[in-house]
Amino acid sequence: MASPGKQKKRAQRAKAKAKQNRMGKPKSHPIHPLLANAQIDEPFDDVEIDLSTFDFADIKENGFDPAHFDDLFQAMAAAEGISLLALCLVFLQYPVLELVVAEEAQDDATDFMMGLLIAYRAAFHDEDEEAAVTWIGSDAFQGAYNDASTILQRKNARG
């Protein structure tokens, strides 16, 4: 895992780039129509997230408190009101998730993602773990997740 100073610099660069992109990009030709919606395209730009204090080792050892991810869950709930694809787009743009995927082993990152999705379903749909895992494994979710991943890859390739 990168040092706290390096993580802070990355977060600052990402925030500056996001602001530059917001100010300089015309929204008339989005890669996907959902990205024209500010709730869906870069929904965490205005949220203060200090990545330098994020301790994945502690989460692996002790689990995470869903309350620490309320900003993510609220954004996901709003996006889910639009579509399942919108929910997946929001989820995949969460800066903490992007950090974990970039810096941790694939199995650990997958476990973290599953934990977040299960916690979201428990909080907003009153589902137990088994029902949440069934939802995550559904063709509808898997299709939306894969489509969201492709859309964001194309978006990042253009940026």
Side-chain angles (χ1 to χ4, degrees), residues 56-94:
F56 189 71
D58 182 54
I59 288 175
K60 270 180 64 174
E61 188 174 315
N62 301 312
F64 65 85
D65 181 355
H68 292 145
F69 298 94
D70 189 56
D71 53 344
L72 169 64
F73 297 154
Q74 293 296 329
M76 287 172 65
E80 189 174 19
I82 297 169
S83 70
L84 186 55
L85 177 59
L87 176 142
C88 291
L89 284 166
V90 167
F91 178 68
L92 289 172
Q93 293 179 83
Y94 191 57

Side-chain angles (χ1 to χ4, degrees), residues 84-85 88 91-92 113 117 140-150:
L84 186 55
L85 177 59
C88 291
F91 178 68
L92 289 172
M113 292 169 68
L117 291 167
F141 179 82
Q142 290 296 311
Y145 182 90
N146 290 333
D147 289 348
S149 179
T150 300

Side-chain angles (χ1 to χ4, degrees), residues 14-88:
K15 189 173 182 178
K17 182 179 179 201
K19 184 174 182 179
Q20 179 185 25
N21 288 343
R22 263 195 327 272
M23 303 308 262
K25 276 189 191 172
K27 293 290 183 181
S28 59
H29 299 291
I31 292 167
H32 190 278
L34 281 173
L35 295 180
N37 184 332
Q39 280 184 299
I40 308 304
D41 187 25
E42 311 210 14
F44 303 103
D45 282 353
D46 298 328
V47 177
E48 282 294 320
I49 300 173
D50 185 0
L51 295 176
S52 66
T53 62
F54 181 72
D55 185 0
F56 189 71
D58 182 54
I59 288 175
K60 270 180 64 174
E61 188 174 315
N62 301 312
F64 65 85
D65 181 355
H68 292 145
F69 298 94
D70 189 56
D71 53 344
L72 169 64
F73 297 154
Q74 293 296 329
M76 287 172 65
E80 189 174 19
I82 297 169
S83 70
L84 186 55
L85 177 59
L87 176 142
C88 291

Side-chain angles (χ1 to χ4, degrees), residues 86-148:
L87 176 142
C88 291
L89 284 166
V90 167
F91 178 68
L92 289 172
Q93 293 179 83
Y94 191 57
V96 172
L97 182 63
E98 290 176 341
L99 177 70
V100 169
V101 168
E103 297 196 357
E104 301 300 330
Q106 184 176 356
D107 287 346
D108 291 338
T110 300
D111 289 347
F112 180 66
M113 292 169 68
M114 290 290 290
L116 288 174
L117 291 167
I118 290 167
Y120 168 75
R121 293 298 287 190
F124 286 85
H125 294 278
D126 199 29
E127 290 184 353
D128 63 10
E129 184 175 344
E130 184 178 331
V133 169
T134 299
W135 173 76
I136 294 164
S138 71
D139 290 342
F141 179 82
Q142 290 296 311
Y145 182 90
N146 290 333
D147 289 348

